[in-house]
């Protein structure tokens, strides 16, 4: 005996005739199907625009809002000039060579201060991070000095070094050195101890461990310290050039302040921001080149 799984035939409804050979089941029209787009695909379409364009949306909206407020009189031009006036002032400063000359002087100060502070901060971090004796001799002193507001040392720098370039460079170097020291030291001490044991088991000596294990492991911290140091360098430059400066972007800002030229002041601030952003981009490129061995999460 076999059992069929086919459903039993239903009798036709009353009044409905069924031709011989046709099924009594009602015919069904296939529904219109709409392709289902996954959410990830929709998000990717929204992100199909170039990244630089997406990052420029916020600043452009801010500029447009600023221009609208200035054009409608909501924003007094004596309080803050409009973006158009600032653009014309910047073009004039570039055309007569005032702004490029000031940028050259400020860049030279930052580079010299960054070099001096970077060498001193990195050297102290290596001494303190690689040796317990060095840590005992160096770390306590550095930790004590870094709690002193370095801006408060400006009067002492003027007394010790005069009013020339030396106090400005020293102020930048001081701000840079502390950031690099802290991050390089933390990077060295953050190296995984199992990597040290693995290096020792492979026969690496002290110098080999430092060269092949410790320094590469401390490199991410050093790059982070460099980014903080660059930001501090520009901040120290603003303070340094606001005191007894006869050239540079800070000197240009002081002159504009005396004549209530808010357009020139904003141009100088934009130049500071542009130089700082350029320096940050350079450090990011260095990170990609030097830390290729260290894949990290880049967002979704």
């Amino acid at each position: 005996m076999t059992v069929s799984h086919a459903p039993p035939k239903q009798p036709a409804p009353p009044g409905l005739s069924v031709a011989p050979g046709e099924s009594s089941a009602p015919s069904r029209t296939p529904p219109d199907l709409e392709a289902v787009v996954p959410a990830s695909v929709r998000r990717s379409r929204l992100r199909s625009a170039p990244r630089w364009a997406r990052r420029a949306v916020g600043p452009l909206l801010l500029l447009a809002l600023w221009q609208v407020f200035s054009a409608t009189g909501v924003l007094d031009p004596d309080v803050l000039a409009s973006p158009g006036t600032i653009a014309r002032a910047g073009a004039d400063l570039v055309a007569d060579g005032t702004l490029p000359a000031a940028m050259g002087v400020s860049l030279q100060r930052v580079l010299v201060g960054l070099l001096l502070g970077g060498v001193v901060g990195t050297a102290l971090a290596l001494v303190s991070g690689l040796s317990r004796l060095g840590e005992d001799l160096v770390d306590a002193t550095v930790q004590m000095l870094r709690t002193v507001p370095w801006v408060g040392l400006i009067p002492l720098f003027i007394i010790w070094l005069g009013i020339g370039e030396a106090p400005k460079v020293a102020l930048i170097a001081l701000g840079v050195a502390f950031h690099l020291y802290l991050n390089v030291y933390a990077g060295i001490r953050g190296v995984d101890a199992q990597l040290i044991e693995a290096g020792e088991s492979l026969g690496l000596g002290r110098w080999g461990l430092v060269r092949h294990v410790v320094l590469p492991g401390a490199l991410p911290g050093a790059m982070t310290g460099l980014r903080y140091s660059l930001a501090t360098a520009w901040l120290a430059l603003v303070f340094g050039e606001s005191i007894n400066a006869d050239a540079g972007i800070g000197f240009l800002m002081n002159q504009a302040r005396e004549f209530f030229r808010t357009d020139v002041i904003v141009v100088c601030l934009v130049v500071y921001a542009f130089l700082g952003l350029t320096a940050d981009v350079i450090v990011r490129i260095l990170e990609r080149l030097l830390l290729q061995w260290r894949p990290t999460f880049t967002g979704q």
Side-chain angles (χ1 to χ4, degrees):
M1 178 179 180
T2 59
V3 179
S4 174
H5 295 282
K9 292 183 179 180
Q10 298 294 331
L16 179 64
S17 60
V18 179
E22 293 184 356
S23 175
S24 60
S27 62
R28 296 179 179 177
T29 304
D32 297 332
L33 299 179
E34 183 179 356
V36 177
V37 181
S40 59
V41 176
R42 290 198 296 270
R43 286 198 299 269
S44 64
R45 288 178 180 175
L46 294 177
R47 296 177 181 180
S48 60
R51 191 176 182 187
W52 62 266
R54 285 179 288 160
R55 294 171 68 92
V57 169
L60 290 178
L61 287 177
L62 182 62
L63 280 177
L65 193 63
W66 183 1
Q67 182 65 40
V68 168
F69 284 166
S70 298
T72 56
V74 176
L75 192 60
D76 191 344
D78 292 333
V79 176
L80 185 61
S82 66
T85 305
I86 293 170
R88 287 190 293 273
D92 294 339
L93 290 174
V94 173
D96 61 12
T98 303
L99 189 58
M103 289 175 61
V105 173
S106 297
L107 272 175
Q108 184 179 0
R109 288 168 179 160
V110 168
L111 290 178
V112 175
L114 183 67
L115 180 62
L116 291 177
V119 170
V120 173
T122 304
L124 291 176
L126 291 175
V127 172
S128 182
L130 297 176
S131 168
R132 292 182 180 176
L133 177 61
E135 181 183 12
D136 294 338
L137 295 176
V138 173
D139 187 65
T141 305
V142 174
Q143 297 294 342
M144 179 184 65
L145 291 177
R146 80 176 183 85
T147 58
V148 178
W150 46 271
V151 179
L153 297 177
I154 292 177
L156 285 178
F157 282 162
I158 293 176
I159 294 174
W160 294 339
L161 305 173
I163 58 173
E165 293 296 312
K168 302 174 182 60
V169 173
L171 194 65
I172 296 171
L174 190 65
V176 167
F178 288 136
H179 281 298
L180 271 176
Y181 171 83
L182 291 175
N183 286 277
V184 174
Y185 172 78
I188 292 174
R189 291 305 175 93
V191 173
D192 193 347
Q194 293 182 352
L195 294 177
I196 302 294
E197 294 177 359
E200 290 175 346
S201 64
L202 292 174
L204 292 177
R206 180 175 177 79
W207 173 242
L209 287 174
V210 171
R211 181 182 176 185
H212 298 288
V213 179
V214 176
L215 292 183
L219 196 55
M223 300 308 294
T224 303
L226 183 59
R227 294 182 67 178
Y228 281 116
S229 299
L230 283 170
T232 304
W234 292 112
L235 181 63
L237 179 69
V238 173
F239 282 108
E241 289 187 338
S242 63
I243 300 172
N244 295 324
D246 55 359
I249 302 174
F251 173 70
L252 201 60
M253 288 181 64
N254 287 332
Q255 281 192 323
R257 182 195 60 194
E258 294 178 358
F259 294 99
F260 298 97
R261 292 288 304 275
T262 59
D263 51 350
V264 177
I265 293 175
V266 175
V267 168
C268 295
L269 292 177
V270 171
V271 170
Y272 275 131
F274 173 75
L275 293 176
L277 184 62
T278 303
D280 188 72
V281 170
I282 293 174
V283 176
R284 285 174 180 267
I285 294 174
L286 283 177
E287 283 182 343
R288 292 178 184 176
L289 293 177
L290 298 177
L291 302 178
Q292 292 180 353
W293 52 272
R294 181 173 173 265
T296 56
F297 178 67
T298 58
Q300 293 180 349

